[in-house]
Amino acid sequence: MVVVNIIILIILILLVAYCGKLKLQEKHQNAPPLLLKEVVLQVSNNDVMHYIRDVAEHFVDDMETKQIAFDYKCTPESMMGWVDIDVVEKGTILMLTEMFDNTPEHGRITLEAYANRTYDAITIRLNDSSNVPLRLSLAIVGQLVAMHHGSMQSEFYEGQGNMVITQIPIKKDHYLKEEILEAGQGAQSVVVNPAAFHIPTNIQLNIPTIDLPEGVSDGTQSLGSLVQQAYNSPDQKFLQRAIKCINEHMDDSDYDRERFAADMGASASTLYNKLRALTGKNVTAFIRDIRIQTACKLAKENPELRVSDIAYRVGFKDPKYFATTFKKVMGIQPRDYFERQRQGH
C-alpha cells in the first residue's frame, strides 16, 4: 500500500508539473524565442553602471504613461568592470519588460545596481508591486546569469510583489580566456566606410535597405546622384543631426542623455531606440565614441596639446577616466596613440 501511494504521489507531481509547463507555454506562445544556445559570452572592460542606467532610462516614458512609480539607482554612478554588456542589457530588459507588463497602474518598480565591498562583483536588485510571479524572464535570465558565472535568487511575496537579485563578477580573472574580448578586437560585423557619411570610424552603422529609384537599371542616373540620395536618407540625416548636437557641446562635460534627447526633439527612449537601430550603440556609447574620435583629431592637428588638455576639450572632467575610456575604445593608451598621430603614422 505504501508503494502504491508513493507511485500515485509521483504521478500527481508529474501531472502538476506538466500542466504548469503547458500553461506557461500557452501564456508565452506569441513571445519571440531567445535561442540561448546561440549566445556566446564575450566580456570586455566597460563602464557597467552607465549601461545599466541607459537600460533603465529606456523604460522611463512607458512607466510614466502607465503611472508606475519607477526608481533606479547605480552606486557608484560610474564603474569599469569586465562584463558582457549585451548579456547584461538583454537580461535587465527582459526583467523590466515582464515586470512592466505585470505591474498595474499606480504600482511601483525599482532597480538598484551596486558594487560589493571588494569591487569584484556587482549586484542588480529588481522589485515590483505585481500580483503575478515572474516566469519567462526568470528562466531566461537565470541561464544568462549562470553563463556569466554569476548567481540569482528570486522571491514572490503575495500582496507585495517580486524581488530578483542577480550578482555577476566584474574582474577579468573570473572568466576563461576564450570568453574575454580584448580591446581592439571588436565583434565581427560589416562596417560602412565612415568617410562617406561622416560617421566616426568606430561606430558600426546598420544601414537600412535602400529602394533604388527609376533610371538605375538603364544607367540614366549617375553614381554621384545615387550616393547623394543615400546620403540624404532620413536615417543619415538623423545621424548627421545627432553628431552635430554632440559636436556643438563637445567641451561640455555635463552634456548628457537628457539634454541630447531634448536637442534632438525626441524622448530619451525614442533616441535610445533610434541610435540602437542605426549604430548598434546606446546613447552613452554614441556620445563617448564621438568624443574619443574628436580627441584623436585634436591630437593630430594640435601636436602641442597635452593629454589632459585634450581630455578637457572633449568633455572629460577627469584625465584619468579619459585615458581609461580612450584605451577601451581605441585599444591603446592616449599618450601612445597621440604620439603616433603627431608623427603621421
Side-chain angles (χ1 to χ4, degrees), residues 148-162:
H148 224 295
H149 309 295
S151 62
M152 183 176 77
Q153 64 181 87
S154 64
E155 295 287 346
F156 173 70
Y157 304 96
E158 194 70 42
Q160 296 183 41
N162 293 280

Side-chain angles (χ1 to χ4, degrees), residues 295 298-299 305-315 322 338 342:
L298 284 173
L305 291 177
R306 298 173 301 177
V307 172
S308 57
D309 295 329
I310 293 175
Y312 296 135
R313 289 196 183 191
V314 297
F322 168 74
F338 293 169
R342 290 162 185 150

Side-chain angles (χ1 to χ4, degrees), residues 74-182:
C74 295
T75 307
E77 291 189 358
S78 176
M79 189 180 70
M80 300 299 291
W82 287 85
V83 295
D84 186 324
I85 285 300
D86 194 48
V87 169
V88 173
E89 284 188 338
K90 279 184 171 65
T92 308
I93 289 172
L94 279 168
M95 282 290 182
L96 283 174
T97 298
E98 189 167 3
M99 284 184 166
F100 173 80
D101 290 341
N102 293 341
T103 300
E105 290 186 358
H106 308 293
R108 174 176 291 276
I109 296 176
T110 61
L111 182 155
E112 184 181 5
Y114 52 91
N116 63 353
R117 292 181 179 179
T118 54
Y119 291 92
D120 61 358
I122 63 163
T123 299
I124 304 174
R125 179 182 180 126
L126 285 157
N127 292 82
D128 68 16
S129 59
S130 167
N131 292 319
V132 181
L134 295 171
R135 295 185 182 278
L136 181 64
S137 62
L138 278 182
I140 297 175
V141 174
Q143 295 178 60
L144 293 175
V145 171
M147 179 191 307
H148 224 295
H149 309 295
S151 62
M152 183 176 77
Q153 64 181 87
S154 64
E155 295 287 346
F156 173 70
Y157 304 96
E158 194 70 42
Q160 296 183 41
N162 293 280
M163 177 192 73
V164 181
I165 300 176
T166 60
Q167 186 178 70
I168 57 175
I170 60 171
K171 291 297 183 182
K172 188 176 181 179
D173 56 12
H174 281 101
Y175 299 97
L176 303 174
K177 184 178 180 180
E178 58 268 24
E179 295 172 336
I180 298 172
L181 184 66
E182 296 288 358

Side-chain angles (χ1 to χ4, degrees), residues 5-28:
N5 289 338
I6 292 175
I7 294 174
I8 293 174
L9 179 60
I10 292 174
I11 292 173
L12 287 173
I13 292 173
L14 291 174
L15 284 173
V16 170
Y18 182 71
C19 290
K21 181 179 179 181
L22 288 178
K23 185 177 180 180
L24 180 61
Q25 289 176 341
E26 179 181 356
K27 179 179 180 180
H28 298 288

